[in-house]
């Protein structure tokens, strides 16, 4: 029987990416939405590691199945590591990519040291808690204005020196090879045999996982 791993996101792009990468292995990737709405994980960690783990273990515990999650963002040392774990909501809870990018550009007006890194952490957790973690990083510099139209988020201002282009000037294939997420995923798949063995051992040691129904009394249900 195939092993099931639940992907703790409803982002269709990420689900497709994981499914296509893992299609050659004996693993079935399912989305949380296949199981109906569950309460959202509280992403209040101070690091990408913490938030990736919170999302993965929350979903694993509730559904009684192994779950995988990723967390990523942009880190700019000259402005104290901002936007960091707040990358998605830097200019406010429902801010657009353009608003977040504009806030960063304003914060960096006159700043000479424009080095920046995209970081991504992938966490695979089993229902009883233990997890495996994979990381990827991509270094670049922040331009003074946007360039290019592809990608998302901070891509138009993230200049990747090796290619002399911003991430928004790269094709998705080019970006995936060098990006933080591409590297973290490559690290994960490079040891997929070990991952599968680890999962087999952890799940055999656990009592048959019972879904954590206590979470379902939560009022703040989310479809995301
Ligand atoms: P998530 O955790 O992968 O959903 O990403 C959090 C936020 O970090 C996004 O909303 C973007 O603002 C930013 N981000 C993460 N990865 C990228 C990327 O590859 N390009 C541009 N922005 C990114």
């Amino acid at each position: 029987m195939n092993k099931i791993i639940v992907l703790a996101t409803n982002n269709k792009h990420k689900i497709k990416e994981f499914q296509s990468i893992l299609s050659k292995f004996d693993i079935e990737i399912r989305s949380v939405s296949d199981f109906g709405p569950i309460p959202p994980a509280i992403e209040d960690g101070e690091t990408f590691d913490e938030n990736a783990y919170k999302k993965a273990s929350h979903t694993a515990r509730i559904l009684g199945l192994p779950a995988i999650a990723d967390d990523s963002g942009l880190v700019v040392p000259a402005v104290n590591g901002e936007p960091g774990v707040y990358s998605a909501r830097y200019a406010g809870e429902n801010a657009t990519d353009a608003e977040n990018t504009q806030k960063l550009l304003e914060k960096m007006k006159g700043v000479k040291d424009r080095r920046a890194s995209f970081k991504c952490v992938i966490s695979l957790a089993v229902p009883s808690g233990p997890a495996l973690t994979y990381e990827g990083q991509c270094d670049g510099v922040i331009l003074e204005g946007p360039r290019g139209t592809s990608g998302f988020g901070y891509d138009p201002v993230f200049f990747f020196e090796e290619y002399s282009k911003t991430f928004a000037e790269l094709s998705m294939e080019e970006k995936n090879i060098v990006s933080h997420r591409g590297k973290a995923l490559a690290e994960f798949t490079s040891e997929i045999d070990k991952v599968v063995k680890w999962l087999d051992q952890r799940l055999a040691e656990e009592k048959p996982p019972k879904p954590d129904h206590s979470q379902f009394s939560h009022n703040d249900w989310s479809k995301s």
Side-chain angles (χ1 to χ4, degrees), residues 35 111 113-114 132 150 171 174 177 183 197 206 218:
F35 299 85
V111 173
D113 177 6
R114 305 193 70 89
L132 296 177
S150 52
S171 67
E174 285 173 319
I177 294 169
K183 286 180 185 164
K197 265 193 203 143
E206 292 192 358
H218 207 287

Side-chain angles (χ1 to χ4, degrees), residues 23-99:
S23 61
K24 51 183 181 289
F25 306 105
D26 192 22
I27 294 176
E28 188 182 335
I29 296 289
R30 306 274 296 273
S31 152
V32 270
S33 57
D34 295 344
F35 299 85
I38 68 167
I42 302 186
E43 290 180 51
D44 57 357
E46 285 175 12
T47 62
F48 299 115
D49 270 56
E50 277 180 65
N51 282 336
Y53 176 69
K54 275 172 191 264
K55 286 187 260 186
S57 67
H58 170 84
T59 305
R61 225 180 45 247
I62 290 178
L63 298 178
L65 289 167
I68 194 164
D70 75 329
D71 198 54
S72 59
L74 181 69
V75 176
V76 183
V79 290
N80 302 318
E82 291 179 19
V85 290
Y86 303 103
S87 291
R89 50 199 152 105
Y90 192 39
E93 211 45 58
N94 298 308
T96 62
D97 285 348
E99 287 165 346

Side-chain angles (χ1 to χ4, degrees), residues 14 55 70-74 87-88 97 100 118 152-155 167 175 180-181:
K14 285 185 189 171
K55 286 187 260 186
D70 75 329
D71 198 54
S72 59
L74 181 69
S87 291
D97 285 348
N100 288 331
F118 273 126
F152 71 103
Y154 301 87
D155 280 349
F167 264 10
K175 181 182 163 185
H180 47 312
R181 204 168 4 264

